[in-house]
Amino acid sequence: MVYSLYRYRWLLYELVLRDIVLRYRGSVLGLAWTFLNPLLTMAVYTLVFSIYLRVGIPNYAVFLLSGLLPWLWFAGAISAGATSIVDGRMYVSRSVFSPILLLLVPVCSQAVNFLLSIPLFFGIAAIFGVHVGWPILVFPVLMGIQFLLVLGILMTLATLNVFFRDLQQLTATILSLLFYLAPIIYPLQSVPAAFRPFVFVNPMAALTIGYQDILFYDRLPSPVLTGYAFAVALVLCAIGRGVFNRYRDAFADYA
Amino acid sequence: MSEHSIVVQNVSKRFRIVRIPKQMSLKEAVVTRRLFIRRDRDELCVDAVNDVSFTVRRGSALGIVGRNGSGKTTLMRLLAGIYKPDSGSVWTRGEVAPLLSLGLGFHPDMSGRENIKMSGLILGLSPKQIERRMDEIVDFAELREYLDVPLRMYSSGMYMRLAFSVAVTIDPDVLLLDEVLAVGDASFMRKCVEKMRSFEARGKTIVLVSHDGAAISAWCDTALYLDAGHVRAAGPAGEVVAAYYRDVSGLIVPAPAELISAVE
């Protein structure tokens, strides 16, 4: 499998490029949408939670953005990736590269979008006077864990979606629930202590807190939480790999 | 073994076709208590390819004829490695390039050049290899002045020529062509034949599926006539195609094809 992926690495590159370029081809603002979507979301949430509901965090916009941008990568990749094998049925039944490649496309293209939105974050942080220091060096580690996490979930999800197409509807609902259950629009401290363990059932919760540590609080993320996130990602990858390999020969028949 | 480039031994592929709608929703599945497929109730079995054996020598072309549903495409996908056989074995020498439909990965908004690149990448080439072959592909397709025009502006003949040219210029050891021969006018067809002849001269192998018996007998040395997943005739292309035509024209009534056998 690794050899097959390595051989087709240029195809992956090209498909990711297409995914990014074609999404905005024909739109007037083009790549600016990469910035505009999170910016508008940030503006509305800041208005609602910082001004209307008075969540007591100084520089709320920066706090929000530090958790929101990774979330957009997560949610974008999951919702696009859930259907990727079904959408790529032409490839699955007529070419010989591993369908894992079709899962990697949304994960990578959303990761690129995420990276492109980082300058936006620094711009907003500078405006609010939030300092981002050397803990940023750990940023790639969190990205790596998130990459594994998304890929692991997608291997299971996209495989099951070949057989049960309505999983994609369910996915949209679950994603919006997980968004509110992750400490993105509120800090973990505002969750009553009794409920806190349940927060971490959400696979993005520990990573969200890690990103906030780096980007907002200017401190190293907790090794325990990061290790936990890594362990969850590995387990989901192992499960996903099992499910995917079990059913991949059937993709060409069903997709 | 060394003079062969494809060896297929007793290969069978059975499809279990689920009688209930494939894309049943989870809710439906639970409500109708059909969450788990029961073989006795829900499945039909189709032996798409049934105990097929043949070999193809290096430097030759094999044609496969047969009616719709006789297992030609399934056999091609088995050769390409897209399907795993239920029993038997498939062995191929070297690089296999499956061209099982024209224009796989083509995008109407992309230019001819971009689409050539994508096609080559799907067939496993690197950007460098594609760049090296670009001139040859474009010349072969006779589309030089349209190279940077979006694909949606192409006529259907231009589209097919472009798609076909990518496949014949990539130079694999085994080239699989499934129903992709109706590509353009007589002069382009002649070029294709010449290309294939040079292919064979260099020890490469072609497998060709077509309804067009004339093309098979003109292009191929040997042929295989599939009927309901079985090999009904094999041998020199002309004879096999003649046998196929005798059957389809109804001069000899074929035995009723036991296509679908319920497991019940």
Side-chain angles (χ1 to χ4, degrees), chain A residues 4 11 16 38 42 52 72 77 86 104 125 146 148 153 171 190 205 223 225 240 246 252:
Chain A
S4 164
L11 178 61
V16 169
M42 181 201 79
Y52 294 176
L72 291 177
V86 176
L104 284 169
Q146 189 175 344
L148 287 179
I153 293 173
T171 304
S190 47
L225 276 189
R246 168 73 180 75

Side-chain angles (χ1 to χ4, degrees), chain B residues 203-230:
Chain B
K204 312 280 179 156
T205 304
I206 298 167
V207 180
L208 192 70
V209 162
S210 181
H211 285 297
D212 183 2
I216 298 275
S217 31
W219 294 25
C220 301
D221 315 297
T222 56
L224 211 60
Y225 167 20
L226 286 185
D227 186 31
H230 293 279

Side-chain angles (χ1 to χ4, degrees), chain A residues 95-112:
Chain A
S95 60
V96 291
F97 61 81
S98 167
I100 287 274
L101 202 100
L102 296 174
L103 302 180
L104 284 169
V105 172
V107 183
C108 293
S109 74
Q110 294 292 330
V112 171

